């Protein structure tokens, strides 16, 4: 497995963990949400997120070519979730500003992790394209790689 692939998988896992942490933080009573999030809802979100990330990461580990594109969609969806957490804290919460800023900081960190993942994914794509190009050139020259 290429270094770029390992990095992309590692940061996808970090993205998942930050999302899950932020989701569970939203269930605490001191969030003072107008419509409180329950532990049952958080558990459901947790299992769905784990399923989506796991499915795409398993495909990536199996070197299925479309896996990183699917993972990009999953990460985009959960990036929108981070934005939703920020808006929920400022529009639907009566919590202290410190609490709102803390949850928003966690969500912004998650967004930054996801942006970094996209940077890594573009590097991975370039590396994989370069390898494919080199194999084609070597085949045309009659060399084996």
């Amino acid at each position: 497995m290429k270094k770029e692939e390992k990095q992309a998988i590692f940061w996808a896992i970090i993205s998942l963990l930050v999302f899950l942490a932020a989701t569970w933080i939203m269930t605490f009573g001191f969030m003072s949400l107008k419509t409180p999030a329950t532990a049952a809802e958080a558990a459901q979100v947790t299992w769905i997120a784990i399923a989506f990330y796991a499915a795409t990461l398993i495909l990536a580990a199996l070197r299925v070519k479309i896996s990183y594109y699917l993972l990009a969609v999953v990460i985009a969806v959960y990036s929108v979730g981070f934005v939703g957490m920020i808006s929920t804290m400022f529009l639907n919460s009566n919590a202290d500003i410190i609490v709102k800023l803390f949850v928003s900081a966690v969500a912004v960190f998650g967004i930054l992790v996801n942006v970094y993942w996209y940077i890594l994914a573009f590097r991975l794509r370039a590396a994989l394209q370069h390898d494919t190009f080199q194999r084609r050139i070597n085949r045309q020259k009659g060399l084996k790689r």
Side-chain angles (χ1 to χ4, degrees), residues 53-109:
Y53 274 87
T56 54
L57 290 172
I58 289 168
L59 290 174
L62 295 173
R63 296 180 178 255
V64 175
K65 289 188 179 191
I66 196 169
S67 61
Y68 289 102
Y69 295 106
L70 295 174
L71 186 54
V73 171
V74 169
I75 287 179
V77 167
Y78 287 99
S79 294
V80 172
F82 284 127
V83 172
M85 288 176 192
I86 294 169
S87 67
T88 296
M89 285 310 297
F90 285 99
L91 299 176
N92 296 322
S93 174
N94 296 321
D96 294 334
I97 191 68
I98 300 297
V99 172
K100 290 179 180 183
L101 290 175
F102 172 73
V103 174
S104 297
V106 171
V108 167
F109 177 70

Side-chain angles (χ1 to χ4, degrees), residues 13-145:
I13 293 169
I14 297 300
S15 169
L16 171 64
L17 294 176
V18 172
F19 181 80
L20 294 179
T23 298
W24 283 96
I25 288 170
M26 296 290 283
T27 65
F28 295 145
F30 61 83
M31 292 297 124
S32 301
L33 297 174
K34 292 177 183 170
T35 306
T38 65
E41 292 169 336
Q44 185 178 19
V45 168
T46 297
W47 289 116
I48 291 169
I50 289 172
F52 282 150
Y53 274 87
T56 54
L57 290 172
I58 289 168
L59 290 174
L62 295 173
R63 296 180 178 255
V64 175
K65 289 188 179 191
I66 196 169
S67 61
Y68 289 102
Y69 295 106
L70 295 174
L71 186 54
V73 171
V74 169
I75 287 179
V77 167
Y78 287 99
S79 294
V80 172
F82 284 127
V83 172
M85 288 176 192
I86 294 169
S87 67
T88 296
M89 285 310 297
F90 285 99
L91 299 176
N92 296 322
S93 174
N94 296 321
D96 294 334
I97 191 68
I98 300 297
V99 172
K100 290 179 180 183
L101 290 175
F102 172 73
V103 174
S104 297
V106 171
V108 167
F109 177 70
I111 292 169
L112 292 174
V113 166
N114 290 351
V115 167
Y116 184 64
W117 181 88
Y118 278 103
I119 292 169
L120 292 173
F122 283 119
R123 288 181 188 165
L124 172 60
R125 184 172 183 255
L128 293 175
Q129 284 178 337
H130 177 71
D131 287 351
T132 301
F133 182 69
Q134 285 299 328
R135 278 195 302 273
R136 286 181 185 164
I137 288 174
N138 290 340
R139 249 186 276 137
Q140 288 176 352
K141 290 181 179 178
L143 302 174
K144 289 188 179 180
R145 188 166 188 214

